[in-house]
Amino acid sequence: SNKWCLDKNYAGVLIVWDRLFKTFEEERDNEPIAYGLVDQPQSLNVMWLQVFYFRAVYRKARSMTTWSDTFRALFYGPGWFPGTPRLGDPDTFPDVKAPRVKYDPQLPKWMEIYILVHFLILLLVQQHWITELQVFPWVSSLAFTMFIFFSTGIIGAMYDGWWWAPLLEATRCIAYVAYARDNPILAHPLLDLVVLAYFAVSSVMWCSQSMAVLKATLKHHKLE
């Protein structure tokens, strides 16, 4: 994120391409590298991290006053603004310095254990899905894929403290129970039963949490 590193060193393996296209930049002994983005997103939600920048680009495009500037906001460099070159004016870029403040949200110990157990279960589900991929109907494969992505996103939302995380976690747990009670997932009856029971208890807990969140939200709106 250092200003002198922006739009440099694109090559992932061979620096010959950066040498050819004049985008190579050597490290500087007197200035440590500040890793990450210039506008570093404060989130551990892997799903959100894939799409957050599209929202920023959309908002930037919406703020333009002409169609031509709207087009440029969509397809020019992230530092571009009206009146600047295609990649923007480097003098206007933020000068990010190392070290950066680490985004490290803290959760109660019980929630960290809860997330760890569910993450390990998710790995088991993913491994079974990969093993049985050729015999699964495409609908089941799609459901497994969505469940895995959905689960990783909710885990990140829990760490980020998003208010709707309990609602989605309750939905996720209920969906697993509804599917797994008639469709063994892990191919080991005892393990399937234990995981099903864990999801059932989790769904009850998060339904209770969701009710508390909804009550607090409604109360807040009434006060407004």
Side-chain angles (χ1 to χ4, degrees):
S1 298
N2 308 67
K3 185 182 290 189
W4 52 273
C5 292
L6 299 179
D7 299 317
K8 303 291 184 180
N9 298 345
Y10 290 101
V13 179
L14 300 175
I15 65 171
V16 62
W17 303 111
D18 286 307
R19 295 284 191 181
L20 286 172
F21 293 101
K22 310 298 183 183
T23 55
F24 177 75
E25 184 71 37
E26 292 187 7
E27 291 191 33
R28 300 179 181 180
D29 295 332
N30 60 344
E31 186 174 349
I33 298 293
Y35 293 97
L37 302 178
V38 173
D39 297 319
Q40 188 76 350
Q42 300 299 294
S43 176
L44 294 179
N45 188 336
V46 294
M47 300 302 294
W48 172 244
L49 292 176
Q50 305 307 311
V51 300
F52 82 96
Y53 193 70
F54 292 101
R55 186 180 72 164
V57 172
Y58 172 76
R59 288 180 172 178
K60 181 179 178 180
R62 283 285 304 272
S63 69
M64 297 296 126
T65 56
T66 66
W67 282 105
S68 59
D69 284 344
T70 298
F71 178 85
R72 293 185 181 96
L74 292 173
F75 296 102
Y76 278 19
W80 176 87
F81 282 94
T84 64
R86 183 177 65 85
L87 296 179
D89 182 2
D91 292 335
T92 64
F93 297 164
D95 193 10
V96 180
K97 301 290 186 181
R100 306 184 77 164
V101 177
K102 182 180 179 180
Y103 178 66
D104 187 22
Q106 300 298 311
L107 294 179
K109 184 60 65 176
W110 71 267
M111 186 174 287
E112 290 185 347
I113 296 174
Y114 171 87
I115 290 175
L116 176 62
V117 173
H118 271 278
F119 184 74
L120 293 176
I121 293 173
L122 192 63
L123 291 180
L124 289 175
V125 172
Q126 180 185 16
Q127 186 61 39
H128 179 67
W129 171 66
I130 293 174
T131 304
E132 304 294 333
L133 184 60
Q134 293 183 346
V135 298
F136 273 3
W138 71 269
V139 175
S140 297
S141 296
L142 179 61
F144 269 87
T145 303
M146 292 179 62
F147 179 79
I148 291 170
F149 279 102
F150 193 58
S151 299
T152 54
I154 294 175
I155 288 175
M158 288 181 175
Y159 272 102
D160 291 342
W162 291 9
W163 70 268
W164 46 261
L167 304 174
L168 293 183
E169 179 64 2
T171 303
R172 185 182 76 93
C173 292
I174 292 173
Y176 184 94
V177 171
Y179 181 86
R181 66 178 183 176
D182 296 322
N183 302 276
I185 292 180
L186 301 177
H188 297 282
L190 181 59
L191 184 58
D192 266 316
L193 181 61
V194 171
V195 172
L196 182 62
Y198 187 68
F199 267 91
V201 173
S202 299
S203 63
V204 172
M205 179 184 71
W206 288 110
C207 281
S208 175
Q209 290 283 338
S210 299
M211 293 300 296
V213 169
L214 290 175
K215 287 180 180 179
T217 303
L218 291 174
K219 183 178 180 180
H220 177 73
H221 285 303
K222 287 181 179 179
L223 292 176
E224 290 182 346

